[in-house]
Structures are given as structure tokens and as C-alpha cells.
Amino acid sequence: MSIYLYQFLTGLSSGLLYFLTAAGMAIIVSGLNVINFGQGAFCMFGTLLCYSVYEATGSFFLGVAAAVVVAGVLGGYVTEAMLRPIYKRPPLFQLLLTMGVGYLLQDFFLFAWGNRMISASVPEILNFRVNLLGLPFPFYYIFLIIISLIICAVMLFVFKKTKIGMIFRAIITNRDMVDCMGINVKKMNSLMFIVGISLTALAGALNLPITGTQTAAESPVLFTAMAVLIIGGIGEIKGAFIGALIVGMCTSFGAMFFSQYYSLIPSLLMVLVLLIKPEGLCGKKTNAG
Amino acid sequence: MKKKLLALILTMAMCLGLAACSSSTQENTGSDDSGSTLTEELSETEPSEDGTYRIAVLMPLSGDLSFFSGYFIPSLEYLADNINSEGGINGHEVDLIYKDDQGDPTIEASVLAEVLEEDVCAVIGPFMDTCGPVVAQWAEQNKIPVFMCCALATDVGFENQSDYVFTAGSSAWSWAKVYANAVKEHGYESVFFLTNSGGVPENVKEFFWQEIDNLGVEVENAGEVQLSGTETDLTSVITSIMSSGADCIVTSLTASPAVNFLQQGNQMGLFDEVELLGAYLNDADHTESVGSSYPVGKVYSITWFPISFDFASDLAHDIYDRSDGVVPCSAGLTFYYALDTIRAALATLDYEAGYDSAQLVEAVETTTCESVFGDIYYTEYNHQLVFPLYLANTAMNDEWGMALPDESDYVEYGIECYPTEEEWVAEGERLGY
């Protein structure tokens, strides 16, 4: 029984970390109508920034905060200086631009951090195990679950209960109407991009003691986040949450029962959803053409 | 709905098929084009006109795998400088010509075409297993001896066997024999296999179970996972190992997947109950990357360069002092010994009188080379570099400031774990060669 609980908790923590990245992407997709192909690079940026600050100061939490802020500022710069001038162009231009930013960042990582594996240990204060029905479970994973759920609740609150959340929802529903009402939609777009990037950088930073990163390799996060978005419904935050939990749980229990093929699970789920409900589990049906 | 169902079944079948095929396709890349433009005219390879021994070195100098070269180059440069400062080989200096193959079999042929223009007497490399077949075929066609620093799956090795191909890299079969012996000696009852995709890890697994049978030990197969190489979050795999009831994991993981596995496994308490058998895992590059999360004392690993052992210590310090702060490791020593065995063979030949590549091959086959491990040599029947294998536990080493092979807890397997000529021939016959 305890091993099932163990598997459930690892699935939950992985799923919630996927959610942070996928939610960041979903906010950008829904607000700006563009898939940010540089999202994986921003996630790596979060990991690397956290690592450097953690190394320099000895404080993991300072590292996490620095990753969120610096990546957010960079995200702001990208949207203001690069994306804004091409808002009127077809979405393909913006998509290519985000891809270019991603490549640029990858090269910067090599230049700044060198070609190596970056990893760090769990901060001492979180580095212990708790007994779960007889099996020791690392507290850091429980910490990840708590942090992710708090962020999820905050996002829900901001989106549903605050004025800025209302504007975000209005932009997602009808951007032109919001523009007509005198709200600076472009500024709001930048804000959504910053929030999306910061969430991804946060996921990257929190992942530092678990997976670390290889500076020369492309971040595998992008693929999983895309799978989560497609399963849940592109541009749907609720969908990202559900998709992330499905991917996390299926991968976790899949490794237990089909260990040879567990890594195929996200792709299989994605294909399955595309065949049965192409708009995603929480996506709204749109009439093409 | 029927169409959807059919499409779904076909897609799933395709995914499973692709997964099953991934290992075999990797081994056979580039089998047709080995970049040969000159064949017979270069079969009489002689020393270069400028009076040096020019030796090409294939390694990833750029791309995802380029960080490996940081380990290889200091060892090679150290040895080349030593040879040259002592007057070269019979009075002629060694000139290493580095070629960047990015560890990519699809560009290896064009890199080898460049090597042909360089008037080299031998080639060291490649490092990546997948590049091996292309280089082996090139060596056979051009009659230029190649000293591979990778491993080849046994069937690929037979397929590409050539008088001109030597392997200074690892031998899957010998690793499997070491692991099987260790499982017997440690009394493990249940083994979980964790591998990368590819022919060599498959070989390790097959030979391991074959050796377990030969040893007559009762060991349960607790399960296996084959990673594609891109996974970074291994928590699911770790919990599945924990639930399998295994008391031992045998792994062929190296580099970043191994670092992730060691780190995450230690966080999750995997090594409280399970011990790990692997290769290179307690080597400097891995233990330094994992840092304080390394499961000290729980990892037994085959290491070709136990820098914390007395007999290897001086060489390790010499290489470290000449490098840019790169701690030596086994992979670096593979290149070192590839060059050293070439040196030993060339020293037996008369530069002034000239020689052909067949004579160089014969010299390599018949020359032993001194090393910190004692005499090392290539077997005549499969051209595998043979030197004693060590399976060592891990301990914290204060001098280097990291976990390293434990000099007080190791087993030297000597050269008995390499396949004998009879075993090699029998395996060749079994595979139809």
C-alpha cells in the first residue's frame, strides 16, 4: 500500500511541476495567441540562475527568487522590444521569434556556464525524509507539492477575484473589445508574458536539486509541457492543471507496471487525446474556417 | 468511431514499433558510406614527410557531447608532450591532429574524408559507440589502423571486424562478467536492470544473464527499464525499482542520466536498501557532478582509472596539473592508452626504412605496453585492449574533495573477465560469422 502512496506522491509532484511550466505557456498562448517555443530555454535559465545564486550565496530560496525575477525581467524585455513590434504580423512571425530567442539563450548558457552538467543538492532545511506508511519519502517532493498548490490557488484567486484577472480573462475572450474600452492591451500582453516566463523559471529553479540541467542539451521540458497543453487544451489553465496531473500520474504508475515503455506515456496520451478530442480535455470546440 | 479506433491502434503500434527498433537502428547508422575516396594507394601508409608521426584524433569538440573532450584532451596532450620532450618515438615527434566528429555518425564520413588528406599513420577514436561502424569500415577500406575509444555491440563488432581496427574502449562482455561475479560474491538475490538504449547495454544484459547461468547462481530478474536518454525526471523509475523488491541494480547509464539517477535515487532513499553496480559511476566526472548527493558506499563501479589508488595517484596528479583544473577520469585514460599503445608499437618499427600499415598492425598485435596497471596489450583474436578491471566501492576522498573509488574495498578482476578466444569464436559462430 505504501508504495502506491509513494508512487502517487511522486506522480503528483512531477505533475505539478509540469503544470507550472505548462501554465506559463498556457497564459502566453491564451493572452498573446502565440506558442512560445523558447519556453524550455527559459525553464533552463531558471535552473541556471538558481544554481549560480545558490552557489554564490548558499541560499537556495534566494536563488529561486532571483530566477523568477531575472527571467521575468528578460521575458518583459523580449515581449516589449521584440514581440511588440510584430504584434500585427501573422502569428508565425512571433512563433519564429520565440524560437530564435530560445536558440539565442541556449548559446548564451554555453557561453556563460560552459558545457557541463549543472546540479545541486537539496537545501539542508528541506533535505530530510518523512515516514509514509513505513517508507521514507523525501520532504523536498512534499515541499514541491505544497508550493505548486499554493501557486495554483494564487493564480486561481487572481484570475477569478481580482480586477487584473478580470482583464486577463477579458483579453482571452475578446481582445479587440478590451482595447476599445481604453485598456492598454499591449501592456497587459507584456504582463502575461512576464507571468508566464516567471512561472516557467520557477519550475526550472525548483527542479535544480532534482534533475539539474545539461547546458548544451535542449530542455526536455518543452516537449512535456506541449503534451500537457495538448491533453488539457491549448491555452486553458484549468486544462494545463488536469493535463499535468494526468501525465504525472500515468507516467508514475506506468513506470511501475510497464517500466519498459513508461517514457512513451506522454506521447501516447497526447495521440489518444488528439484522436478522440482534438481540442483537448478542457478545450472549447472551434469551427475551423 | 471505427476509423478513430483503427487510427488509434495503428498509432500505438507505430509508437511501440519505433521504441523497439530504436536500439538496432542506432548501431547500424552510416553503414554504406565510409567516406573513402582513396583505397589501395594509401594502403602503404608511411611516416609523414615532415618527419613526425601524425595521428588523427576523432572526438566531439563541439555540440552536446563536447564537454567530454575536456577530459580526453588533457590526458592526450600530457602523454604527447612527454613523448616529444623525451625525444619523440625513435627521434620523431608525435603530432596529434584533432578532428571534430561531434559524436555524430551522420557526419563521421565527411570527417574521415578530411583525415585522409592529413597523411596520418593511425587514428584514435571515435568515442561514441554509434560512430564505431563507420570508422571501422573506413579503416578496413583505407588500411589505416584505428584505435577506437568506444565500445561496439558484439554483433556490430563481428560485422566490422578488421585487421585494422583495435578497441581501446570498453568491452560489454567483460563488464557483464564482472557484474555477474560481483552479484555472486555479494550474495544479491534480485537484480533490476537500468540501461540506455543501444546495442552495448543490450549486450551487457544478455551476457550478464548468460554468466549468471554459467556461475550457477539463483538470481531473480526484478525488472528492467530502458531510458531513451532524454529523460531527466527519473523519480517514477526510482519508485518502480523500490517497489520491485530488488536488492541490486545493474546499470549501463553514464554521463547526465547517471548523474540524475544517482542524485534523485539518493534523495528518495533508493540506496538505503539497494546497491548499484555500474561502470565509471565512481569516477571523478560523475562523483564531482553529483557532489554531496552522491550515495557514498552504495555504488560499486568498474573504473579504468582509480585516481584515489596509490598506483594511479602520481599519473592522476601529473595530468591534473597540466589541465585546466579538470580531474582525470577513466574516459580520458582510454584515449591516453590508445596513444600509448601506438607509441609502443611504433617504437619497434624503423622510421627511416619505412613501413607499411600491415607492419604497424603486426607491431601493435605483438607489443605490450607498460602502464600503471602493469603490462597492457591487444588480444590477437578480437583486438581488444586488455588490462585489469577493478570493481570498487566508493568513499569520500579528502585530498580530491569528492567521492572516489575506495582503495580499501575493491576487487581486482585481472584480465580473467575478458572473453577468451574460445568464447569469442563460439559467439561468432552463434551469431553466424
Side-chain angles (χ1 to χ4, degrees), chain A residues 3 6-7 10-11 13-14 17-18 110 115-122 127 129 135-138 140-141 207-214 216-218 220 248 251-253 255-257 259-264 267-268 271-272 275-278, chain B residues 1 4 7-9 11-12 15-16 19-20 62-68 192 202 205 223-228 230-237 239-240 242-243 255-257 259-260 263-270 272-273 289-293:
Chain A
I3 197 70
Y6 211 104
Q7 211 80 21
T10 43
S13 65
S14 302
L17 274 181
Y18 297 149
L110 275 177
N115 188 349
R116 64 195 178 113
M117 173 86 197
I118 298 281
S119 66
S121 42
V122 175
N127 197 6
R129 291 186 218 133
L135 266 183
F137 190 78
Y140 186 71
Y141 290 80
N207 237 333
L208 170 67
I210 299 179
T211 65
T213 194
Q214 174 69 52
E218 274 180 42
T251 310
S252 184
F253 283 98
M256 196 171 176
F257 297 112
S259 53
Q260 272 286 57
Y261 303 106
Y262 93 100
S263 55
L264 287 173
S267 336
L268 284 176
V271 171
L272 201 69
L275 285 169
I276 296 167
K277 203 168 182 291
Chain B
M1 189 63 202
K4 274 187 180 175
L8 183 66
I9 291 166
T11 312
M12 289 177 92
C15 288
L16 291 172
S62 64
D64 291 1
L65 302 165
S66 59
F67 69 96
F68 278 118
F192 195 103
E202 276 298 308
K205 199 169 64 189
E224 60 185 71
V225 169
Q226 190 181 68
L227 300 177
S228 67
T230 55
E231 298 97 332
T232 52
D233 183 354
L234 301 177
T235 48
S236 310
V237 173
T239 46
S240 81
M242 290 169 87
S243 64
S256 49
V259 169
N260 279 330
Q263 189 157 6
Q264 292 167 37
N266 201 35
Q267 284 164 10
M268 300 187 75
L270 174 68
D272 291 353
E273 291 159 27
S289 296
V290 182
S292 60
S293 299

Side-chain angles (χ1 to χ4, degrees), chain B residues 298-319:
Chain B
K298 294 291 184 176
V299 179
Y300 287 85
S301 177
I302 298 170
T303 174
W304 285 19
F305 193 10
I307 64 173
S308 49
F309 283 28
D310 285 344
F311 69 77
S313 177
D314 287 346
L315 180 59
H317 282 102
D318 284 347
I319 294 174

Side-chain angles (χ1 to χ4, degrees), chain B residues 117-326:
Chain B
E117 308 291 321
E118 296 284 359
D119 190 19
V120 297
C121 64
V123 175
I124 298 175
F127 173 64
M128 292 307 291
D129 301 353
T130 48
C131 298
V134 187
V135 179
Q137 287 158 29
W138 178 88
E140 173 62 24
Q141 285 171 11
N142 296 291
K143 313 294 181 210
I144 295 177
V146 163
F147 298 79
M148 299 217 228
C149 295
C150 59
L152 293 181
T154 316
D155 56 338
V156 182
F158 279 115
E159 183 84 39
N160 297 286
Q161 198 154 7
S162 157
D163 287 346
Y164 294 89
V165 176
F166 295 84
T167 305
S170 52
S171 148
W173 201 336
S174 62
W175 284 7
K177 284 191 175 199
V178 170
Y179 297 148
N181 279 305
V183 165
K184 183 182 179 184
E185 285 156 19
H186 292 208
Y188 298 128
E189 292 174 349
S190 178
V191 171
F192 195 103
F193 252 89
L194 182 62
T195 64
N196 294 90
S197 55
V200 176
E202 276 298 308
N203 268 184
V204 172
K205 199 169 64 189
E206 285 164 19
F207 288 128
F208 171 81
W209 290 115
Q210 185 180 305
E211 290 303 322
I212 287 288
D213 278 347
N214 291 345
L215 293 170
V217 192
E218 283 289 317
V219 179
E220 186 200 345
N221 183 345
E224 60 185 71
V225 169
Q226 190 181 68
L227 300 177
S228 67
T230 55
E231 298 97 332
T232 52
D233 183 354
L234 301 177
T235 48
S236 310
V237 173
I238 290 163
T239 46
S240 81
I241 296 172
M242 290 169 87
S243 64
S244 72
D247 53 6
C248 168
I249 306 162
V250 176
T251 183
S252 60
L253 297 184
T254 55
S256 49
V259 169
N260 279 330
F261 181 70
L262 288 163
Q263 189 157 6
Q264 292 167 37
N266 201 35
Q267 284 164 10
M268 300 187 75
L270 174 68
F271 302 110
D272 291 353
E273 291 159 27
V274 187
E275 289 184 328
L276 183 64
L277 300 181
Y280 304 144
L281 294 179
N282 58 10
D283 217 331
D285 56 342
H286 288 94
T287 62
E288 196 178 19
S289 296
V290 182
S292 60
S293 299
Y294 194 92
V296 178
K298 294 291 184 176
V299 179
Y300 287 85
S301 177
I302 298 170
T303 174
W304 285 19
F305 193 10
I307 64 173
S308 49
F309 283 28
D310 285 344
F311 69 77
S313 177
D314 287 346
L315 180 59
H317 282 102
D318 284 347
I319 294 174
Y320 181 73
D321 292 343
R322 298 278 290 273
S323 77
D324 188 18
V326 177

